[in-house]
Amino acid sequence: MRTDFADLVAALDIGGTKIAGALVDDRGRLLARAQRPTPAREDGATVMGAVAAVIDELGGAMHWSRVRAVGIGSAGPVDASRGTVSPVNVPGWRDYPLVAEVARRVGGLPVVLVGDGVAMTAAEHWQGAARGRANALCMVVSTGVGGGLVLGGRLHPGPTGNAGHIGHISVDLDGDDCPCGARGCVERIASGPNIARRALDAGWLPGPDGDRSAAAVAAAAGAGDAVARASFERAAQALAAGIAATAALVEIEVAVIGGGVAGAGEVLFAPLRERLRDYATLSFASGVEVLPAELGSDAGLVGAAAAAAQELGLWAAREPGSA
């Protein structure tokens, strides 16, 4: 029977802009929060200092004594097998031993590390748009493109915590070079900065406020600007190709899309669903649904906790994905 004294997981969501933390219960509620800006251009010790400040603040919360584990969702690449992170947008961390450093600060509690796309997936499967689905791809489409998989009703992070990283599937064999070293990756076409870059290169002009972001391109597309609309259609095509490839490989039934670019709404989703019909042509892949994510900015924290709970067998009566 559930009590108000159920075990908690301390969750960390680490990105290039902010380091967020929370104490999460077995219903996905955030009982305490802490946050610091990420000193992304500083050395590794300084970045870890910001993480430590978040942990210390959480450690002072009244519920800390109920914490049984720490879950971390981090910008990647991550290597869960080694407990290290090398976020592209935090150059001071290269093969940084984050799990060991966090464990040292939390009295040896078990620490589980996954990529931020996997964390978002865990959250959406437990509490959001993929709830009740046995096989799902969840994606974050923002300044980059990340993702994660649910297979057979369980989160599937893979050995290093990166499985489902759809952003670096190549969908244009002769496409632009990607910072990852490959060419024509989904991220190189569908991320927010690349949507804006492509629109600007094709002649789109920002409005009087000078906003050159993907959100401004989305607004222009919604108002009928053909160049802006074409850039989103190209992004939708890349996403559709990546989703269809994933469906062919592992038979997903739903693709959930979150992140800032998903805020474009039907400017993105309408052409995405249309182009998916062109790529997901096999009978077992053609029924994939495309849905917007539901959890918003808390997904990373909720998902980091859910991933840790699954791996460690906590909250067994209310496992991520269960009612």
Side-chain angles (χ1 to χ4, degrees):
M1 179 181 296
R2 174 181 166 77
T3 75
D4 289 335
F5 299 98
D7 294 340
L8 304 181
V9 174
L12 297 173
D13 180 14
I14 300 175
T17 302
K18 63 180 174 63
I19 297 163
L23 303 185
V24 184
D25 74 4
D26 65 342
R27 297 194 178 198
R29 297 180 299 187
L30 278 57
L31 304 186
R33 293 177 182 262
Q35 184 170 308
R36 298 290 187 280
T38 303
R41 299 300 163 190
E42 303 296 330
D43 61 80
T46 301
V47 180
M48 188 62 219
V51 175
V54 169
I55 294 171
D56 289 347
E57 186 172 341
L58 293 177
M62 64 178 292
H63 302 291
W64 179 261
S65 62
R66 293 161 51 194
V67 172
R68 297 293 175 264
V70 179
I72 305 173
S74 175
V78 308
D79 188 340
S81 65
R82 297 173 56 225
T84 61
V85 298
S86 302
V88 173
N89 51 4
V90 185
W93 274 1
R94 289 295 173 266
D95 294 321
Y96 189 81
L98 180 61
V99 168
E101 289 293 325
V102 170
R104 186 167 65 85
R105 286 168 168 79
V106 296
L109 289 171
V111 179
V112 174
L113 169 67
V114 294
D116 52 5
V118 174
M120 177 266 193
T121 299
E124 289 293 332
H125 184 231
W126 182 22
Q127 298 279 341
R131 186 171 184 172
R133 304 300 187 102
N135 301 285
L137 167 70
C138 299
M139 305 170 60
V140 181
V141 186
S142 185
T143 54
V145 177
L149 290 167
V150 172
L151 300 177
R154 290 179 64 83
L155 184 69
H156 180 77
T160 67
N162 295 285
H165 199 342
I166 189 174
H168 294 289
I169 291 177
S170 179
V171 293
D172 184 355
L173 300 185
D174 299 314
D176 293 340
D177 291 339
C178 180
C180 77
R183 317 188 69 173
C185 292
V186 171
E187 181 172 298
R188 190 70 174 91
I189 301 168
S191 69
N194 282 299
I195 290 171
R197 173 188 57 81
R198 189 168 49 250
L200 288 162
D201 289 349
W204 173 71
L205 298 175
D209 61 0
D211 187 350
R212 301 159 67 91
S213 68
V217 178
D225 186 291
V227 174
R229 187 169 60 248
S231 189
F232 264 90
E233 288 173 352
R234 177 65 170 157
Q237 182 183 16
L239 293 169
I243 291 167
T246 304
L249 191 64
V250 295
E251 296 194 49
I252 58 170
E253 56 195 285
V254 63
V256 175
I257 302 178
V261 172
E266 288 304 295
V267 168
L268 176 69
F269 283 94
L272 172 52
R273 293 186 178 108
E274 181 178 344
R275 295 314 300 266
L276 188 58
R277 289 194 291 269
D278 297 334
Y279 289 98
T281 57
L282 296 170
S283 59
F284 63 87
S286 61
V288 174
E289 286 187 79
V290 176
L291 300 173
E294 295 180 359
L295 294 188
S297 61
D298 285 339
L301 291 167
V302 173
Q310 177 178 290
E311 180 166 324
L312 299 171
L314 302 174
W315 306 340
R318 191 176 293 274
E319 192 167 283
S322 68

